[in-house]
Amino acid sequence: MITLTHYLVLSAILFIIGVLGVLLRRNAIVVFMSVEIMLNAVNISLIGFDNYLNHSDGQIFSFMVMCVAAAEASVGLAIIIAIFRNKPTINLDEFNLMKW
Amino acid sequence: MELLIFYAIAAFCIVLALLVITNKSPIGSAICLIAMMLGLAGIFILQRAHFIAILQILVYAGAIMVLFMFVIMLLNLKNDDKGWKLREKNTLLSVLTGVLLAGVLFKIVKITTQSVFSLPKTLSEDFGTVAAIGKALFTDFVLPFEVASILLLVAMVGALVLAKTKVN
């Protein structure tokens, strides 16, 4: 019998993997993919609570999360392309356009 | 049986997520991420959220990952040999964040294992169907739905403007 705890633990593990990717990788595109992993982890726990409470509001929220993920991916990748055109690297440590 | 399937899919997803962040080539990461998204669609089907499972495959594994692949191939990225290495500039901050997050999650697991939160045996008949989600989306959540459409429009225009103008 699957319980709510199973879904929450899976969600927590995937979220931590995503955080590790964001903190430890330097490749901007891999960092973006780690953000996608984190958003997916949140979706699992949203729908897990939905199952537990037996109504469908959480699924609407995960639908909105998907919308935000799509918007974030398109704008983020456009920013990466714009920076790449200016300076041919996607190493995050060499991005210093906004440094003060 | 259901639990066995859950463990199999969960292990698959975790291994592929680890491969995403450890892979040296960005294309390899993207392919692992697509496989992870498909595994997560399996988890959503186990949770009886069929509509979200279909959206997961169509929107994430389809549209978003095609965008990623397109950008990786457009930029013609090489493997970075220093891919898996601590970023020495903010190691302290990273470790601090990791410890704090681990503490919070440990607390959550401690609370959730105090009692068994078993899921209800029978869900309502139309749980997770397109009809139920669509009805909720166009009655109770019609304002967030419209705001989401404006968000997507703004993102589209923003992506066009960003990709067309030159950064100095």
Side-chain angles (χ1 to χ4, degrees):
Chain A
M1 187 68 197
I2 308 175
T3 60
L4 180 60
T5 312
H6 285 93
Y7 290 132
L8 290 184
V9 170
L10 173 64
S11 168
I13 292 172
L14 283 180
F15 194 86
I16 288 179
I17 292 174
V19 171
L20 279 178
V22 169
L23 291 178
L24 298 179
R25 288 301 298 260
R26 295 146 176 234
N27 189 324
I29 290 189
V30 178
V31 169
F32 259 104
M33 290 185 202
S34 306
V35 173
E36 300 291 336
I37 293 178
M38 285 198 273
L39 289 169
N40 272 298
V42 171
N43 276 355
I44 294 175
S45 46
L46 275 176
I47 301 179
F49 278 114
D50 232 19
N51 257 331
Y52 179 64
L53 300 171
N54 199 357
H55 64 77
S56 58
D57 288 2
Q59 291 174 61
I60 310 284
F61 272 95
S62 57
F63 180 78
M64 297 299 163
V65 169
M66 282 185 188
C67 283
V68 172
E72 172 253 335
S74 62
V75 174
L77 291 172
I79 290 175
I80 289 179
I81 288 179
I83 295 178
F84 190 84
R85 211 187 272 153
N86 189 42
K87 185 178 181 181
T89 173
I90 57 161
N91 187 332
L92 280 179
D93 289 340
E94 289 173 31
F95 286 181
N96 52 8
L97 288 174
M98 304 245 270
K99 210 169 190 178
W100 51 282
Chain B
M1 186 61 199
E2 211 180 19
L3 197 60
L4 213 66
I5 297 173
F6 173 80
Y7 279 132
I9 301 178
F12 175 79
C13 288
I14 290 169
V15 168
L16 279 161
L18 283 174
L19 280 177
V20 169
I21 64 168
T22 51
N23 216 320
K24 272 184 184 170
S25 84
I27 273 286
S29 295
I31 289 171
C32 289
L33 191 57
I34 293 175
M36 197 206 79
M37 303 281 185
L38 295 177
L40 284 183
I43 294 274
F44 291 149
I45 290 171
L46 268 185
Q47 292 174 318
R48 287 173 193 80
H50 308 122
F51 179 58
I52 299 296
I54 291 168
L55 275 191
Q56 175 84 7
I57 294 173
L58 279 181
V59 175
Y60 264 121
I64 295 183
M65 291 320 294
V66 166
L67 195 64
F68 270 97
M69 289 291 216
F70 191 75
V71 169
I72 292 169
M73 291 186 173
L74 188 73
L75 299 185
N76 194 17
L77 299 176
K78 302 286 182 298
N79 293 4
D80 57 350
D81 300 321
K82 299 175 293 182
W84 186 249
K85 203 173 143 194
L86 284 173
R87 293 173 43 196
E88 61 276 329
K89 272 183 190 166
N90 44 15
T91 309
L92 182 69
L93 203 65
S94 305
V95 170
L96 202 70
T97 313
V99 168
L100 278 176
L101 190 71
V104 171
L105 287 172
F106 176 72
K107 183 73 184 163
I108 291 173
V109 168
K110 219 174 132 191
I111 291 170
T112 52
T113 46
Q114 272 168 3
S115 58
V116 181
F117 292 92
S118 53
L119 302 172
K121 281 265 186 296
T122 51
L123 291 166
S124 58
E125 209 149 85
D126 59 350
F127 182 88
T129 57
V130 181
I133 303 292
K135 202 176 165 193
L137 209 54
F138 284 107
T139 52
D140 296 342
F141 295 95
V142 69
L143 183 67
F145 182 68
E146 294 298 331
V147 172
S149 69
I150 294 173
L151 172 75
L152 288 176
L153 178 70
V154 170
M156 196 170 73
V157 175
L160 271 177
V161 170
L162 276 173
K164 273 181 93 173
T165 48
K166 279 209 156 64
V167 186
N168 293 312

